[in-house]
Amino acid sequence: MPVAYTIQPTYAIDDATLLETDLTICTLLVLIGSGTFSYAVLAPNTRKFLALKSYSYQPKTLAVADLEMIEQIFDADKLLFTAFKEVLLAFDSPDSTLVPEPLFAGQLKKDYLHTAHLERMQEAVLTDSLPDLGMVNVYATDKDILGFLRKEFSSDRVVHAHSALLKSYKQDRDIMFSDGVVFIEVQQQQFALTIYAAGKLLLQQQLPYRSGLDIVYYIVNSLRQLELTELQAKIKLGGALTKDSQVYQELNRFLPRLDWVNKPEGFLYIGKMNEVPAHHFHNLYALALCV
């Protein structure tokens, strides 16, 4: 007997602007992560975010279970069936690797990926070109989930969440800091770690964690391998963190230069979004830079 789930959004932010706007001229930005499904509505003509909604559920080891949860979200959220002008699908999957553009050959994309990550059942291997960095992001996501979302949205626009993060970090002047800047995007049970020094991208990877001490370890170890130090590097946090959270408190014990990331520049946000800390939903807002 199939299990019935009651799906409710963890966050839902909008105002009267949404009802007053013709959504068929708008862009829907969809972000799928481990146990999360989020989206934002963007009006391209005004570059204004009109709404966002985020769902959370217990991550499963079987992709079929994740697909069942996403199907339940579609059953519960009728806004997803709006005929948006454009839909961008983004996957926050752990299996990704950056390849220098001069060395990239499309027919070898699986080889690049599987040098760093194990091959998974039912995977679809995709690429994002990042000409500003001279890189190609090669990544994998579940083939069935990708197929379902492409069919429901009639969209072939797909990116990896890390590609959007790199575009947003480029706006941050701190990447020029010679002692290094570490960007941390914290999600459920995993986080994206990105390190720059003097404007150069040195590292980007996604890692699991159980506590803030795990994140501290990865930051310190990565910085020292790059001949940088956690005492001098700036650490900028994104994700649903607060100063009262256990993760933040543990980071603050060992990392003296903590700060928050800001929402991407060049966009407008409705009042309710500006009431939420700027680092929340940073990875979702960053998708607008890929449109």
Side-chain angles (χ1 to χ4, degrees):
M1 178 180 296
V3 179
Y5 299 96
T6 301
I7 295 292
Q8 297 293 332
T10 308
Y11 290 92
I13 303 174
D14 62 38
D15 62 14
T17 307
L18 186 66
L19 298 176
E20 297 166 355
T21 304
D22 178 6
L23 297 183
T24 62
I25 65 171
C26 292
T27 298
L28 183 69
L29 307 170
V30 182
L31 178 61
I32 304 95
S34 176
T36 62
F37 182 98
S38 306
Y39 67 81
V41 178
L42 176 69
N45 55 338
T46 59
R47 295 178 66 81
K48 185 174 183 178
F49 283 93
L50 306 180
L52 72 77
K53 196 172 287 187
S54 181
Y55 295 87
S56 297
Y57 51 89
Q58 186 63 37
K60 304 293 183 181
T61 55
L62 297 177
V64 64
D66 289 327
L67 180 55
E68 288 175 357
M69 299 303 291
I70 292 172
E71 289 173 340
Q72 291 291 327
I73 291 170
F74 270 77
D75 288 341
D77 194 331
K78 302 308 178 187
L79 183 66
L80 294 174
F81 293 97
T82 302
F84 291 96
K85 182 178 181 180
E86 184 177 16
V87 178
L88 178 68
L89 305 175
F91 290 90
D92 190 4
S93 58
D95 296 348
S96 68
T97 189
L98 292 172
V99 180
E101 197 169 42
L103 302 178
F104 179 76
Q107 68 272 22
L108 298 177
K109 62 183 181 181
K110 290 187 178 181
D111 298 290
Y112 300 128
L113 183 67
H114 297 148
T115 298
H117 302 279
L118 294 175
E119 185 173 359
R120 299 181 184 273
M121 295 290 291
Q122 293 296 311
E123 70 175 11
V125 178
L126 307 171
T127 62
D128 295 339
S129 178
L130 302 169
D132 291 345
L133 290 171
M135 296 281 185
V136 176
N137 189 3
V138 183
Y139 58 97
T141 190
D142 179 77
K143 185 182 297 184
D144 291 335
I145 293 176
L146 175 63
F148 172 80
L149 293 172
R150 276 178 164 170
K151 179 181 178 182
E152 292 297 326
F153 288 121
S154 300
S155 176
D156 286 324
R157 293 290 309 280
V158 181
V159 300
H160 193 274
H162 291 183
S163 300
L165 289 178
L166 289 171
K167 289 178 180 291
S168 69
Y169 297 154
K170 188 181 177 184
Q171 295 182 339
D172 195 310
R173 296 179 182 87
D174 283 339
I175 65 171
M176 302 305 298
F177 190 54
S178 59
D179 287 328
V181 58
V182 180
F183 294 96
I184 301 295
E185 185 69 34
V186 179
Q187 305 300 322
Q188 292 188 61
Q189 302 178 7
Q190 62 186 22
F191 70 101
L193 169 67
T194 309
I195 302 178
Y196 287 84
K200 183 178 180 180
L201 174 65
L202 302 180
L203 174 73
Q204 186 181 61
Q205 61 185 139
Q206 188 159 294
L207 297 159
Y209 76 95
R210 292 187 178 181
S211 72
L213 292 178
D214 294 333
I215 300 177
V216 171
Y217 168 79
Y218 285 123
I219 291 174
V220 172
N221 187 52
S222 297
L223 283 171
R224 292 182 180 179
Q225 287 188 36
L226 295 169
E227 300 183 348
L228 299 169
T229 170
E230 71 278 7
L231 300 179
Q232 297 296 327
K234 297 181 180 182
I235 316 295
K236 307 196 75 167
L237 306 176
L241 292 177
T242 66
K243 288 188 175 181
D244 296 329
S245 67
Q246 183 179 12
V247 168
Y248 181 88
Q249 293 297 325
E250 291 173 335
L251 294 176
N252 194 44
R253 284 175 57 195
F254 300 97
L255 305 170
R257 306 193 68 178
L258 287 184
D259 199 358
W260 305 101
V261 297
N262 289 313
K263 295 193 290 289
E265 298 175 359
F267 297 94
L268 300 174
Y269 302 84
I270 62 172
K272 292 181 180 179
M273 290 177 180
N274 289 323
E275 294 172 4
V276 177
H279 58 279
H280 287 211
F281 304 110
H282 172 260
N283 57 344
L284 180 59
Y285 292 135
L287 298 182
L289 299 171
C290 298
V291 175

